[in-house]
Amino acid sequence: MRGDDRIFVMGEDIAEMGGSMGVTQGMLDEFGPARVRNTPISEIAIVGAGIGAAIQGMLPVVEIMYEDFLTISMEQLVNQAAKHRTMSGGQVQVPLTIRTQGGAGWSPGAQHAQQLEAWFVHVPGLKVVFASTPEDVRGLLWSSIYDPNPVIFFEHRTLYPIRGDVPDEIQPIPLGRARVHREGTDVTVIATGRLVHESLKAAEQADHDGISVEVVDPRTLSPLDTETIVESVRKTTRCVTAHEAVVQGGFGAELAAVVQHDAFDYLDAPIERVGARFAPLPFAPVMEDYCVPHAADVLDAIRRTVARSG
């Protein structure tokens, strides 16, 4: 925003309050109310206004307070933002970035913690990013803002406290490039969001069993870096997918389909999928903890796939 006055942010309570999670704190003082805009509580209006601004040459960054509320803006996202470039023969671009957050781990209840990324991967014309580290958020957000297509940028609530080293100069990370967080030889775990960190914990524990685990974070769910994922599975010959969203219809199913199609002859065991139980997220902490996956669940899946391969 300091270097490009086309960029502005808008959303519910993002100015004086700094957003529900404090992500935009201090920005109002630096950039003023014209570029840090509070909006009415109407997600469909917020996204619609962002689409209009993007078409007119601005680079809007819209914050949807909780990703659950993306449901209210679905018409604008799915039928408008995702379609304009193709339906205009490329004459109309929609460089709109939608930042949103969600996730369990702090008892937000069933209406404020869903993980809905798989819904949007299904829509041609939308790009979908789900970063899990400070350096990845920084580089991918830059690329998202300057992409000529609408990008939905997912963030997990419990990852905000994570700190990491980032360079003084922003280093853009191209959309569609996965990251190998940990190299291994026996099992590939493909994980997103919070489950990247849970998978890294599981990989360390698997070392005690003599199992070498490679952990891959797609970072961009659409477009997907199939090359890095398939290359990893061909090397390890086993695969586990892990995300916090429910297993049924989750992004892990798409990953499993890609792996079995492109690496079937290399697989020594069925693909294991780790995700939340198929239930609205309970409010009670003990029940919430029971419903969503943790490092122990990933470790169990790793052990199962190794055992089944004999």
Side-chain angles (χ1 to χ4, degrees):
M1 290 179 71
R2 292 181 182 126
D4 192 335
D5 60 11
R6 295 176 299 167
I7 303 172
F8 71 97
V9 297
M10 64 178 177
E12 298 166 14
D13 296 327
I14 67 163
E16 291 85 359
M17 181 177 169
S20 61
M21 300 301 160
V23 174
T24 53
Q25 283 182 352
M27 294 182 68
L28 177 64
D29 293 335
E30 180 172 355
F31 299 105
R35 298 183 66 195
V36 182
R37 291 176 170 262
N38 282 332
T39 65
I41 304 175
S42 175
E43 283 75 16
I44 194 167
I46 301 169
V47 173
I51 293 170
I55 289 174
Q56 291 299 312
M58 302 296 286
L59 298 174
V61 179
V62 169
E63 178 177 306
I64 299 298
M65 189 178 289
Y66 292 89
E67 66 182 80
D68 311 69
F69 305 157
L70 285 171
T71 57
I72 305 170
S73 61
M74 287 290 269
E75 198 284 328
Q76 289 293 311
L77 285 170
V78 174
N79 290 329
Q80 307 303 325
K83 305 295 191 289
H84 287 317
R85 190 175 186 186
T86 297
M87 293 179 67
S88 69
Q91 297 179 82
V92 175
Q93 296 185 350
V94 187
L96 169 67
T97 303
I98 308 285
R99 282 189 48 256
T100 190
Q101 64 82 31
W106 55 296
S107 294
Q111 296 172 324
H112 294 79
Q114 296 174 81
Q115 298 280 264
L116 304 175
E117 61 274 7
W119 289 15
F120 299 95
V121 172
H122 190 66
V123 181
L126 294 179
K127 294 190 176 182
V128 181
V129 176
F130 197 174
S132 62
T133 66
E135 61 272 21
D136 286 350
V137 167
R138 195 170 188 240
L140 289 166
L141 185 56
W142 193 99
S143 296
S144 298
I145 291 170
Y146 284 102
D147 196 286
N149 303 283
V151 179
I152 302 181
F153 198 98
F154 287 97
E155 301 164 5
H156 195 285
R157 166 66 178 84
T158 63
L159 299 186
Y160 285 139
I162 292 178
R163 304 180 73 87
D165 294 326
V166 297
D168 292 334
E169 296 294 324
I170 294 177
Q171 297 179 352
I173 299 172
L175 304 188
R177 186 174 297 175
R179 176 179 178 181
V180 179
H181 280 270
R182 186 184 199 272
E183 294 191 356
T185 57
D186 297 326
V187 186
T188 295
V189 178
I190 312 167
T192 60
R194 180 180 65 85
L195 265 293
V196 172
H197 302 273
E198 296 299 306
S199 297
L200 289 169
K201 294 176 187 175
E204 292 181 6
Q205 294 167 1
D207 276 342
H208 299 300
D209 296 341
I211 303 171
S212 174
V213 180
E214 184 150 300
V215 178
V216 180
D217 179 0
R219 300 193 294 193
T220 304
L221 310 189
S222 182
L224 179 66
D225 183 358
T226 57
E227 182 177 349
T228 297
I229 291 168
V230 170
E231 180 182 348
S232 175
V233 176
R234 286 179 175 177
K235 177 180 70 173
T236 65
T237 72
R238 303 172 186 88
C239 180
V240 174
T241 69
H243 52 61
E244 190 180 289
V246 296
V247 174
Q248 181 172 314
F251 186 65
E254 176 67 18
L255 291 170
V258 168
V259 168
Q260 77 84 26
H261 184 272
D262 293 346
F264 178 79
D265 291 336
Y266 295 81
L267 287 171
D268 287 338
I271 300 166
E272 294 284 341
R273 295 164 59 194
V274 176
R277 299 177 186 275
F278 194 65
L281 194 68
F283 174 78
V286 65
M287 289 301 297
E288 178 193 54
D289 190 64
Y290 171 75
C291 281
V292 299
H294 303 280
D297 301 291
V298 180
L299 182 60
D300 286 345
I302 290 169
R303 288 170 171 165
R304 283 197 304 271
T305 193
V306 170
R308 294 186 70 175
S309 59

